[in-house]
Amino acid sequence: MSMSSLCDDELGLILERVHDPYDRKSVSLVCKQWLRVEGLTRLSIRVFELDSLRWFLPRYPNIVTFECSTLINDDELKFLAKTCPKLEVLNLSLERPFHDEFTTVFDNVCEDGLCALGNGCHKLSKVLLRRRICWTVVSLVKLAQNLTILDLAKCCLVTDQDLEAIGALNSITILNLEGCSITDVGLVSLATGASSRSLKKLVLEGCYQITDYGVSSLRQMCCLEELNMADCGTKVTNIGCVELAAIQTLKRLNLSWLSNVSDPTLLALAENCRNLKQVDLTGCELITGAGIRAFANHGCVQALVLSYCHNIFAYDLEHLALGCQSLKYVVLDRGWKAAMPMKMVENISRFCDIICRR
């Protein structure tokens, strides 16, 4: 039997075993039939230039993953939604904002384009819009009812209104709001909506407008496993962070550079968050040995990041290492370890690793 006698379905079964993109490209050059079948069986595509999108995208009607890290507009998103209705993953994240010497160039991604995606791609479950200038994601969130992962990091136009819509989702599991201009109003929407029963990972790093009031509301998130509140400013203190101890499902917590967080927060976490595995306290200068020692009897914590915590001493770490059998490593800044007596370093290292950070 010659290759030319094979039907499209048979060629498709062969191509299912070809995963290397360069091999698939070579296969597509054999003849028109191989070119057509390769397009029909392609599941993902990464686009670098959008000028010829309308020419080549119809070759790939069955893709489930679309990636593009260049500027894109509403018309192109509408065409994507119409051409690739089986889309599940949309990655439009920018590695850096686009700009030239004189002016910043903004995306033209508005409600119409995102709405078309929500309407046309019913299986859409993962949307990454990092650093995009999105005017609103309300329509997308309301239409994409299977959305589980949403990355809005550094999207400067995200508002509390967007969070209200996201809060109504009962499917969302991972939400990244790093650097967004949200307030306590938005946090309360997340904490009191359907999302509070599905969210497992929440990133609030660099959200300077939130305060203890909003942070306290997060205690209602009954499934949350990972929370990043690094560098959220001086309005987040022990008042709010102590309330986080009510989240008993919490496994990873980042409180780095919260200058008003101290020992009461650690005491509450050590007592109540028995599933906690990793805590990042980088730059929390008010924390002392008393807070660290509270984890000595914790049966689950595996890692503590203590860089630039200048009120913790070697004997505090030794007490922690001797008492906490689950501890695997602590992270210190390089100068801190150099000042420790060698015998104490050796004693601590018998029970856990000491990792130095510059």
Side-chain angles (χ1 to χ4, degrees):
M1 179 185 291
S2 65
M3 295 295 288
S4 60
S5 64
L6 296 176
C7 67
D8 286 358
D9 289 341
E10 291 168 328
L11 292 181
L13 291 174
I14 295 173
L15 281 172
E16 283 182 359
R17 298 176 178 271
V18 181
H19 304 293
D20 186 275
Y22 295 103
D23 290 340
R24 292 186 67 96
K25 183 177 181 179
S26 299
V27 165
S28 68
L29 298 175
V30 172
C31 64
K32 289 184 178 179
Q33 184 186 20
W34 279 99
L35 177 68
R36 181 179 66 255
V37 175
E38 194 281 326
L40 292 174
T41 57
R42 178 79 70 87
L43 296 179
S44 64
I45 188 170
R46 187 176 184 184
V47 179
F48 297 95
E49 297 290 341
L50 289 167
D51 294 341
S52 54
L53 183 72
R54 294 180 181 274
W55 174 76
F56 70 78
L57 192 61
R59 273 189 58 208
Y60 311 108
N62 297 315
I63 61 170
V64 295
T65 300
F66 180 89
E67 297 182 53
C68 178
S69 56
T70 188
L71 300 179
I72 193 168
N73 59 42
D74 267 358
D75 289 338
E76 289 157 342
L77 290 179
K78 290 177 182 177
F79 182 71
L80 172 63
K82 182 178 179 181
T83 308
C84 306
K86 297 180 181 180
L87 202 64
E88 297 178 16
V89 179
L90 177 68
N91 185 354
L92 300 180
S93 294
L94 298 176
E95 294 181 2
R96 58 180 178 80
F98 279 84
H99 61 84
D100 56 29
E101 184 177 359
F102 302 102
T103 184
T104 300
V105 181
F106 294 95
D107 282 306
N108 189 23
V109 177
C110 299
E111 188 171 14
D112 289 347
L114 295 177
C115 184
L117 287 167
N119 267 321
C121 306
H122 300 295
K123 294 184 178 181
L124 199 61
S125 62
K126 182 178 181 179
V127 177
L128 312 179
L129 299 172
R130 178 181 290 263
R131 290 192 175 91
R132 291 285 179 179
I133 309 298
C134 303
W135 295 101
T136 180
V137 296
V138 172
S139 295
L140 171 66
V141 169
K142 288 183 177 179
L143 293 167
Q145 291 298 305
N146 294 312
L147 199 60
T148 58
I149 300 174
L150 181 59
D151 186 350
L152 299 174
K154 306 296 181 67
C155 293
C156 59
L157 298 181
V158 170
T159 66
D160 292 332
Q161 184 179 6
D162 295 303
L163 263 62
E164 182 179 0
I166 296 169
L169 281 175
N170 59 12
S171 58
I172 192 81
T173 59
I174 299 176
L175 178 61
N176 191 342
L177 298 169
E178 178 187 352
C180 292
S181 300
I182 59 170
T183 71
D184 293 338
V185 174
L187 283 191
V188 171
S189 296
L190 288 179
T192 58
S195 64
S196 66
R197 298 183 292 276
S198 63
L199 261 178
K200 293 187 176 181
K201 179 179 179 179
L202 177 62
V203 179
L204 299 172
E205 180 176 353
C207 295
Y208 295 106
Q209 297 185 47
I210 64 175
T211 72
D212 284 331
Y213 178 76
V215 174
S216 297
S217 69
L218 298 181
R219 71 193 314 274
Q220 301 176 72
M221 291 190 165
C222 57
C223 296
L224 197 63
E225 296 180 1
E226 185 171 348
L227 176 62
N228 184 344
M229 291 179 45
D231 206 14
C232 281
T234 58
K235 295 180 181 178
V236 177
T237 72
N238 288 322
I239 295 174
C241 290
V242 164
E243 295 296 319
L244 297 178
I247 310 174
Q248 297 185 7
T249 53
L250 209 55
K251 294 180 179 179
R252 294 176 181 83
L253 180 62
N254 190 339
L255 301 176
S256 58
W257 304 110
L258 294 182
S259 58
N260 287 324
V261 168
S262 59
D263 293 342
T265 293
L266 296 192
L267 293 171
L269 292 172
E271 181 179 355
N272 298 295
C273 296
R274 307 308 297 180
N275 294 307
L276 202 57
K277 292 183 177 181
Q278 181 174 324
V279 186
D280 191 337
L281 301 168
T282 301
C284 296
E285 297 184 350
L286 295 181
I287 288 173
T288 72
I292 299 304
R293 285 168 173 257
F295 284 96
N297 296 318
H298 199 280
C300 191
V301 70
Q302 298 177 359
L304 288 176
V305 183
L306 304 172
S307 299
Y308 305 104
C309 295
H310 301 305
N311 291 314
I312 298 171
F313 300 98
Y315 53 80
D316 297 317
L317 290 181
E318 187 177 40
H319 180 85
L320 173 67
L322 291 172
C324 186
Q325 296 182 2
S326 61
L327 191 66
K328 293 183 177 180
Y329 66 90
V330 291
V331 180
L332 309 171
D333 48 278
R334 190 174 297 276
W336 204 97
K337 181 182 177 181
M340 292 174 62
M342 183 55 64
K343 185 175 182 180
M344 191 166 286
V345 172
E346 292 175 353
N347 195 29
I348 295 173
S349 298
R350 290 170 50 215
F351 301 95
C352 68
D353 293 330
I354 299 176
I355 300 174
C356 294
R357 177 187 292 176
R358 292 186 179 181

